[in-house]
Amino acid sequence: ADTATAQSGLPVIVMDTAPAAVLGALDDPRVGGHPHPVVVNIGNFHTLAFQFRDGQFVRLFEHHTGELTPERLSHWLRALAAGSIGHEAVFADKGHGALCLDEVRVPLELVALVGPRRAMLADTDLPIYAAVPHGDQMLTGCYGLLRACADIEPKWRQPISDALAGKADRSLW
């Protein structure tokens, strides 16, 4: 997410939809409560996958969805969890690349899916889970954008956290 100031003096925050959806998926209790989930946004044109450990991002890759088969995507997700994914290999496979901050292998126990083409992995043997933050998978990206806003604007952190936890001060509405 990036921030700027509009002519009104209010901050303007811009974020790409794929990482917003990945961040929003962490609001699903099963995903956010897992020690090392892989969260995958399978979009119409791009697939973006993040590996988290103890709430921290450790690796990612981005690929062109149209270049992926269920088997190929499964391969990359296994490499991501294994810590063996490499930028050059993903790029050579017609993807955008990968970033691996560490190579610590973690068991592939939860692959949380979001995005319009998440059904691509339905018939694989991966431990897939359709993330449903706050009971509505259609708003996953919106929840992620709110979380990003809370990270960027400290004065918004508590009101956003309270609202997402169902503790919002309704007198403000």
Side-chain angles (χ1 to χ4, degrees), residues 16-93:
D16 187 77
T17 57
V22 168
L23 185 57
L26 295 174
D27 266 17
D28 180 301
R30 184 167 170 194
V31 180
H34 196 278
H36 43 262
V38 170
V39 183
V40 187
N41 179 42
I42 306 177
N44 289 320
F45 299 103
H46 292 96
T47 294
L48 185 65
F50 282 73
Q51 171 81 60
F52 294 90
R53 189 171 45 255
D54 300 321
Q56 299 296 311
F57 152 75
V58 290
R59 326 182 240 279
L60 72 84
F61 79 90
E62 184 173 11
H63 210 298
H64 296 102
T65 304
E67 297 289 337
L68 293 170
T69 63
E71 296 76 25
R72 198 79 197 129
L73 180 52
S74 295
H75 161 79
W76 289 121
L77 294 173
R78 291 180 200 288
L80 188 71
S84 62
I85 197 160
H87 172 75
E88 293 81 11
V90 174
F91 190 76
D93 192 48

Side-chain angles (χ1 to χ4, degrees), residues 127-138:
I128 60 171
Y129 170 71
V132 187
H134 305 283
D136 192 339
Q137 58 92 15
M138 293 299 292

